[in-house]
Amino acid sequence: MNQEDYEKQQEMEKLLENDRNQRINQVEQLQNQNILEQERLNNEKLRYQEELLREQNTLQFEKEMDDRIFQLRMTLAQTSDTLSRNDLQALLNEEEAKRDCYYAEKEARRKAAELAEQEKVVKEQELAKKPDKGKGKKSNKKKKSNTNTLATIVLGILTLVAVIILVTVYKSYKQKYATESTSSTSTTTVHKSSVTSTTSDTKKQSSTRSKQASSSQKVSSKSSSKIKNSVSASSSKKVTSSSSIGSRVSKDSSEFKIKDYTGQDYKIAVKDLVNNYSISESQIKIEEISTSDYKEGLIISQSPSQGETFKVSGDDKITFKVAAESTVTMPNLTGYTYSEAIAALTALGVSSSHITVYQADPNSSTGYVQVSSPSSTATVTAQTPYYGGTLSGNVVLYLAADEEQEEN
């Protein structure tokens, strides 16, 4: 082997060594890239799991919040005591205010995220265009400041809306409570003023009668004894008749038999009791019942019933259950069994005569057929009104088909 062949061999070995080193470096780089990619995938998976868990927690929180409001509304519909209803209404207003505030903040965060995403897209587009350093930087700064200003304004407006909602709910509840306390206070004041005026009138009449009596005594002293006797006889008859009339009136007004006021407007009934039977308004209790079966303001039931005796001077009260406009929200009954749905609607004041039931039937041209007595375990698949709507008028339930029908 000469020198030239040796140099060529050495050069070939160097080339092979370099090629081998390059391949080793490429393999190491691929391994590193695979490790980084695996770490990225693991991080993505972990972030996805965290987002999924956070979304599940959010849905669970919203469901619990809606369930609390639904339970409060059902309890309010079932409660007849005024004080308890006021407390429940306050709790319901507070929960609804919290829910409105929560959804307002959620909407604000969503809009802020959309603005951030739009800003990111704008930046990527600007980087793709590769503008000049001088003018490009200035325009980027202006757009970024405008976007940040817009995001700040949107967040401020949404926060202000949430605060206004809370303040409005609080003021409405406070005004309602103040109105109720003011009405009770004014009623007491009217009773006191009427008693005071009656007392003052009685005193004036007694003083006038004493003056007239003294003057009549002076006149009678100058008249004859016969006139005295006739006057005294007539006066004694008048006193006797007036006393008998007074005793009869007091006896008649101390107690009376209750009439049937059901189906009448409660204002007319209260006016009749106050004017004709000397009943105080504080002795009349009005209980509002949310229902769609009766016209608003009509008396549904009364206590005491017709024909029972009521003592005016006693501590008992006359109670009228009055129909009020239904403000109950339709619950979500899908997934309930038929018996569970009927129980929930009955608790909200819906009578069975206002509930229509349709059941899926593959033999029907419309897919459903009206039924009167479905299976108690049939599942509700749809409803009208929808969840969240006002519960008034008729309710329509759509049930899944029976197992026997499905087999046929």
Side-chain angles (χ1 to χ4, degrees), residues 126-127 129-144:
E126 290 175 351
L127 290 174
K129 291 179 181 179
K130 293 182 180 180
D132 295 335
K133 293 183 179 179
K135 294 182 179 180
K137 288 182 179 179
K138 290 182 180 179
S139 61
N140 288 338
K141 288 181 180 179
K142 287 183 179 178
K143 289 181 179 179
K144 185 176 181 180

Side-chain angles (χ1 to χ4, degrees), residues 171-223:
K171 284 185 176 180
S172 63
Y173 173 70
K174 187 176 181 182
Q175 185 178 4
K176 181 180 178 182
Y177 181 77
T179 304
E180 292 178 355
S181 60
T182 305
S183 63
S184 61
T185 306
S186 62
T187 304
T188 307
T189 306
V190 168
H191 290 314
K192 289 182 178 179
S193 61
S194 62
V195 171
T196 305
S197 61
T198 305
T199 307
S200 61
D201 293 339
T202 305
K203 289 182 179 180
K204 289 180 181 179
Q205 290 176 2
S206 61
S207 62
T208 305
R209 287 175 182 174
S210 62
K211 289 180 180 179
Q212 291 175 355
S214 60
S215 60
S216 63
Q217 286 178 359
K218 290 180 181 179
V219 173
S220 61
S221 62
K222 295 180 181 179
S223 61

Side-chain angles (χ1 to χ4, degrees), residues 273-287:
L273 289 169
V274 171
N275 294 339
N276 299 329
Y277 299 99
S278 301
I279 295 292
S280 171
E281 289 188 2
S282 61
Q283 293 178 278
I284 303 173
K285 183 179 179 181
I286 305 297
E287 294 182 1

Side-chain angles (χ1 to χ4, degrees), residues 79-130:
T79 304
S80 59
D81 183 61
T82 305
L83 294 177
S84 300
R85 286 179 64 87
N86 289 338
D87 294 338
L88 289 171
Q89 188 65 48
L91 290 174
L92 179 60
N93 291 339
E94 184 179 355
E95 289 294 331
E96 289 178 342
K98 288 180 181 178
R99 182 189 62 182
D100 295 339
C101 184
Y102 166 78
Y103 282 116
E105 291 178 356
K106 184 178 179 181
E107 183 67 16
R109 288 195 298 269
R110 186 186 66 79
K111 291 190 176 181
E114 288 181 356
L115 289 174
E117 187 66 23
Q118 291 175 1
E119 184 179 355
K120 183 179 178 181
V121 172
V122 170
K123 284 183 178 180
E124 291 177 354
Q125 291 176 353
E126 290 175 351
L127 290 174
K129 291 179 181 179
K130 293 182 180 180

Side-chain angles (χ1 to χ4, degrees), residues 24-37:
I24 291 172
N25 290 333
Q26 288 177 356
V27 170
E28 290 179 351
Q29 288 178 359
L30 288 174
Q31 289 177 350
N32 292 332
Q33 288 178 358
N34 289 334
I35 292 171
L36 292 174
E37 183 66 18

